Amino acid sequence: MRSAPWLVLGGTLAGFLGVLGLHKPATPNVLANRPAQHTTKASPGATRVAGPQAGASLAAGAFGGPLVAYGYGELSTKVSVSGGRITGVSVPVLKTAEQYSQQLAAQVIPMLQHEVVSAQSARIQAVSGATYTSEAYAQSVQAALDKAHRG
C-alpha cells in the first residue's frame, strides 16, 4: 500500500506532461485591424491624417485615452508624444475584477507599452493569453493618438 500514492502522483504527472506536449502555442493576432482615417485641418492649407500611416504628424504632449471596459476589468491609457513620435504610454486607470487579472495585467502592460512605442502605432500584436486586455489597451491608445493628430 505504500506505493499507491506514488502511482497516483506518477500517473498525474505523466498525464500533465502529455497534455503539455500536445499543446500548441497560439499564434498572435494583430490588433486594430481597422485603419483609422480622420482628416482634420491644422491650419489653412495644411491637413493632417490621423491613424497609423507613415508621415502622419503627432502634436507634442500627453493625450489620454478613454476608459475601456473589457472582460476582466477596465483600463485607460495616456500616450506621451515628443518630436512627432510616441515616447511612452502609461496606464493611469486599471481596475480588474480579480487578483489573477491584476497579476496578468501587471505582466502584459509593459509588453504592450513596448509594442506601441516600437510600432509608433496602436497596431500591435496581442499578448497570448491576454487578448481582451490587449484589445482594450489598443483601443484606448488609438483614441489617444486620434487626439494627438488633432493637435
Side-chain angles (χ1 to χ4, degrees):
M1 280 296 185
R2 288 180 146 163
S3 64
W6 290 109
L7 288 174
V8 170
L9 182 61
T12 303
L13 181 59
F16 179 72
L17 292 175
V19 168
L20 285 179
L22 295 174
H23 178 73
K24 291 182 180 178
T27 57
N29 62 346
V30 178
L31 299 178
N33 288 329
R34 65 201 182 287
Q37 293 284 338
H38 304 287
T39 304
T40 57
K41 294 281 184 187
S43 61
T47 58
R48 286 191 255 177
V49 179
Q53 296 83 9
S57 62
L58 295 171
F63 302 90
L67 189 64
V68 178
Y70 61 102
Y72 303 101
E74 53 189 13
L75 62 79
S76 69
T77 61
K78 185 175 180 183
V79 178
S80 299
V81 178
S82 178
R85 296 188 50 82
I86 300 169
T87 57
V89 184
S90 63
V91 179
V93 177
L94 175 63
K95 300 175 186 176
T96 57
E98 60 203 34
Q99 183 64 30
Y100 175 75
S101 298
Q102 179 71 34
Q103 292 170 342
L104 182 63
Q107 292 175 350
V108 168
I109 288 174
M111 291 183 236
L112 295 171
Q113 291 168 329
H114 177 74
E115 285 281 323
V116 169
V117 173
S118 294
Q120 290 294 300
S121 166
R123 290 181 155 224
I124 57 175
Q125 295 290 322
V127 175
S128 180
T131 304
Y132 294 141
T133 306
S134 299
E135 289 173 349
Y137 188 89
Q139 184 179 348
S140 184
V141 167
Q142 184 60 57
L145 290 175
D146 288 347
K147 290 179 184 177
H149 286 293
R150 292 186 201 127

